[in-house]
Structures are given as structure tokens and as C-alpha cells.
């Protein structure tokens, strides 16, 4: 819960410094109201913690490498970035450094920006990473000699390459997960992803934050889609990056465009309201239908919250009042998830 809440505050900083104060505010509103992010913030699993530290890694990288950052800012933010990767590794293993490292490599290849590597402070950074991650890993391995193989091989490599955990799902699993999880910002998400590639093509040597965010999203999405072990929370680390791109879009969008993009939420909310009683069909010997029946009025209350919030947001956006539209829909979506 704490890392989920801090993640909402954290997304404001890079949004403001890179895209403007309004974009930072919008990014925080989007992340704090995205359905999957809010729901998983209430569940005691590792994924929200690792998402926060990976978000800190990304935010520090963006702030360190942005055009106009001083030498001191670059150094300090990169030190935070390396420490965050160490905390990410302590949270959930090698993905804490492997995923950000691959994103950085892909960004350098696509943008042909190899000068970026001179500003990573690799020497001191690796020492910081080691100082954060190594002591616990060494200590626990001494007390539990089987730990290194279990943690690094069984839980990392074999989980990705084999079906050893029995969590086999189709390659397209995360498409509906992200589309439902980002609600109510589905259509703004599509436009922001397209805009991130089309609009962020700076001169060679200039930093392109939107493209780094896009590469972060696409690579992590493909990485977990290719994995032989899939669970819904695995995809959570892309949500702060999505929120930054959507926040940037919402800070510049016209009311009429937002009006059209939010219309999809009306049939979605109505469908949840009308079909809520059908949830009892999910009943089984393990989970009786009577338990599902207890959820029906809550699902309907959530649907009403989404519907009312959407209608108010449509009214504000029709009047070209984008900020009130985003705020009211974000608050309604938070209430929906509650």
C-alpha cells in the first residue's frame, strides 16, 4: 500500500520536469486511478514493491539524462538510479537490473545515442548497486546454501524459460490485462503511445524521454508476454511509464478530443451494471456461487460510480474544461476500485 501510494507521488516529479507541471499532475491522476494499479495496491504481493523501485529507477534515469540537467544533477540522479536498481533486485531478483539495462541498450541502438553511456557513472554506480543488493544476498546464502540456486535459477531463469510453475497462458494474455487495467484511460493510452513515437524525434545526441518511456513499455510487455510463466501482476511495472505518456497527452489534449476518447467508458460502465448478476456463474465447489452473489451489489455500485464519473467528465470535456474532466473521472475511478 505504501509503495503504491508513493508511486503516485513519484510519477509527478519526472512528469513535471520533462513535460510541464500540468503533465505531472495528469500523470499522477492517471496512475492513481488506473484500475489494475489501484487494485494491486491493496494486495500484499511483491509486484507493487518492485514496480515502485523500478519506477524510481526510470524516473531517476529520465531526470539524470534530460537535456539541461547539470553535471551535479546528472551524478546525483544516477546514484539514485543505481540504488533503486539494487532495491529492485532485493524486491524480486534479476529483473530489477536486467530490464532497465536492456531498455537502456535498446534506446541507445534506436536513437544512436551512445554518448548517454558516458553519463551513467558506471564505476560508482556499480559500487552503489552492490552495496545495496549484495549484503543480504550473501548473508542469506551463507545461512541457506540452497538459496542461490533456488533464487537465481529456479525462480528467475526456469520461471521464464519453462512451465515449471504451471502458470502457462497464451502469448496475448497481457493485451486484455493492460486494456482493462488502464481503464478509464484506454483510448488516451493508444494515442499517447502513437504520439510518443511520432512526436519525439529530436536531433542526434538530444535526449528523447518519450521514446525511452515507449521502449520501456514495449520491451517489458514483450518480455513478459514471451515468458512461459504469466501472472496478471507481472505487467505492473509498465503502468508508471504509461501514466507519464498519458499525462503528457492529457496536458495538451483538446476537450472535444477527450470527449470522444471517454465515450467508450459509458457502455463499459453500463455493461458492468447490467451483467453484474452473471458473476454467480463463476461459482464452483471451491468458491460457492453464494459468495459471488455477495459481490453483485458492490459491482453494481462500482459501475454506477464509473458511470456517474464518466458522464460528469464528458460534460466538462464538452465544455473544453480538460482538467476538471480528468480530476472527476480519476476520483470516480478510485472510488470504483475501492
Amino acid at each position: 500500500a505504501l509503495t503504491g501510494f508513493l508511486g503516485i507521488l513519484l510519477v509527478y516529479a519526472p512528469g513535471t520536469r520533462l513535460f510541464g507541471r500540468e503533465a505531472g499532475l495528469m500523470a499522477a491522476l492517471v496512475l492513481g486511478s488506473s484500475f489494475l494499479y489501484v487494485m494491486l495496491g491493496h494486495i500484499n504481493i511483491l509486484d507493487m514493491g518492485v514496480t515502485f523501485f523500478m519506477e524510481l529507477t526510470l524516473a531517476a534515469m529520465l531526470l539524470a539524462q534530460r537535456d539541461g540537467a547539470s553535471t551535479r544533477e546528472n551524478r546525483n540522479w544516477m546514484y539514485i538510479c543505481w540504488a533503486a536498481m539494487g532495491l529492485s533486485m532485493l524486491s524480486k531478483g534479476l529483473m530489477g537490473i536486467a530490464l532497465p539495462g536492456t531498455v537502456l541498450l535498446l534506446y541507445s541502438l534506436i536513437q544512436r545515442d551512445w554518448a548517454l553511456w558516458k553519463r551513467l557513472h558506471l564505476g560508482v554506480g556499480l559500487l552503489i548497486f552492490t552495496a545495496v543488493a549484495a549484503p543480504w544476498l550473501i548473508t542469506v546464502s551463507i545461512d541457506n546454501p540452497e538459496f542461490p540456486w533456488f533464487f537465481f535459477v529456479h525462480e528467475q531463469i526456469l520461471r521464464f524459460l519453462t512451465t515449471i510453475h504451471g502458470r502457462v497462458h497464451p502469448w496475448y494474455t497481457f493485451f486484455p490485462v493492460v486494456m482493462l487495467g488502464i481503464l478509464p484511460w484506454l483510448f488516451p493510452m493508444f494515442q499517447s503511445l502513437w504520439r510518443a513515437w511520432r512526436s519525439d524525434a529530436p536531433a542526434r545526441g538530444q535526449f528523447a524521454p518519450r521514446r525511452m518511456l515507449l521502449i520501456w513499455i514495449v520491451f517489458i510487455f514483450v518480455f513478459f508476454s514471451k515468458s512461459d510463466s504469466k501472472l496478471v501482476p507481472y505487467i505492473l511495472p509498465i503502468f508508471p511509464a504509461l501514466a507519464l505518456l498519458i499525462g503528457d497527452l492529457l496536458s495538451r489534449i483538446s476537450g472535444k478530443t477527450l470527449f470522444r476518447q471517454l465515450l467508450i467508458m459509458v457502455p463499459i460502465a453500463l455493461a458492468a451494471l447490467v451483467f453484474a448478476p452473471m458473476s454467480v456463474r463463476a461459482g464452483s465447489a471451491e468458491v460457492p456461487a453464494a459468495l459471488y452473489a455477495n459481490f453483485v451489489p458492490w459491482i453494481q455500485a462500482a459501475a454506477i460510480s464509473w458511470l456517474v464519473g464518466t458522464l460528469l467528465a464528458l460534460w466538462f470535456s464538452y465544455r473544453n474544461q480538460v482538467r476538471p474532466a480528468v480530476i472527476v473521472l480519476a476520483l470516480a475511478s478510485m472510488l470504483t476500485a475501492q
Side-chain angles (χ1 to χ4, degrees), residues 8 36 99 103 118 138 154 181 184 230 238 260 272 275 307:
I8 298 169
L36 183 65
L99 298 187
V103 168
K118 299 177 183 178
I138 293 172
H154 185 273
K230 299 182 182 71
I238 74 170
R260 292 193 297 269
F275 293 108
L307 181 61

Side-chain angles (χ1 to χ4, degrees), residues 64-65 74 78 113 115-122 205 207:
Q65 304 302 330
N74 169 257
M78 281 310 306
D113 185 5
L116 178 73
W117 290 76
K118 299 177 183 178
R119 304 190 298 270
L120 297 182
H121 298 273
L122 282 169
F207 185 60

